[in-house]
Amino acid sequence: MTVLEETTGEPTGEPTDARGRVAELHEIRAHAVAGPSEKATAAQHAKGKLTARERIELLLDPGSFQEVEQLRRHRASG
C-alpha cells in the first residue's frame, strides 16, 4: 500500500512497487519497438518505402545499433 492509498483509501492506478514499474517500462519499450501502428507501416510499404527501423537494420550490422532515449515522446499536439 502506498502513502496515497493509506490517506485516501483508493489505489492510484499506477504501479507502486519496483516490479510493477519495471513491467510498465517493458511494455512501453515494446510499444516503442513495434512502431506507430500496423496501418502506418502498411502505408509506408505501399509507398515503396521502409520504416526507419527497417532502414537502420539494412545500414548497420545486427546488434550494433544502440538507440538513445528510446522512450522519449514528442510534445507536438497538432
Side-chain angles (χ1 to χ4, degrees), residues 1-13 16:
M1 184 177 277
T2 65
V3 173
L4 186 56
E5 288 175 323
E6 290 172 2
T7 58
T8 65
E10 296 181 17
T12 61
T16 57

Side-chain angles (χ1 to χ4, degrees), residues 5-70:
E5 288 175 323
E6 290 172 2
T7 58
T8 65
E10 296 181 17
T12 61
E14 294 183 12
T16 57
D17 63 341
R19 290 176 200 226
R21 293 200 182 269
V22 168
E24 181 182 25
L25 284 174
H26 283 298
E27 183 179 330
I28 292 169
R29 183 171 285 130
H31 284 281
V33 169
S37 69
E38 289 295 321
K39 184 179 176 183
T41 301
Q44 275 292 92
H45 291 163
K47 294 177 190 175
K49 297 180 178 181
L50 298 173
T51 65
R53 289 189 189 279
E54 291 169 338
R55 293 190 303 267
I56 289 170
E57 288 174 8
L58 288 174
L59 271 173
L60 304 174
D61 293 331
S64 65
F65 179 69
Q66 294 296 314
E67 189 170 354
V68 177
E69 296 188 9
Q70 182 182 38

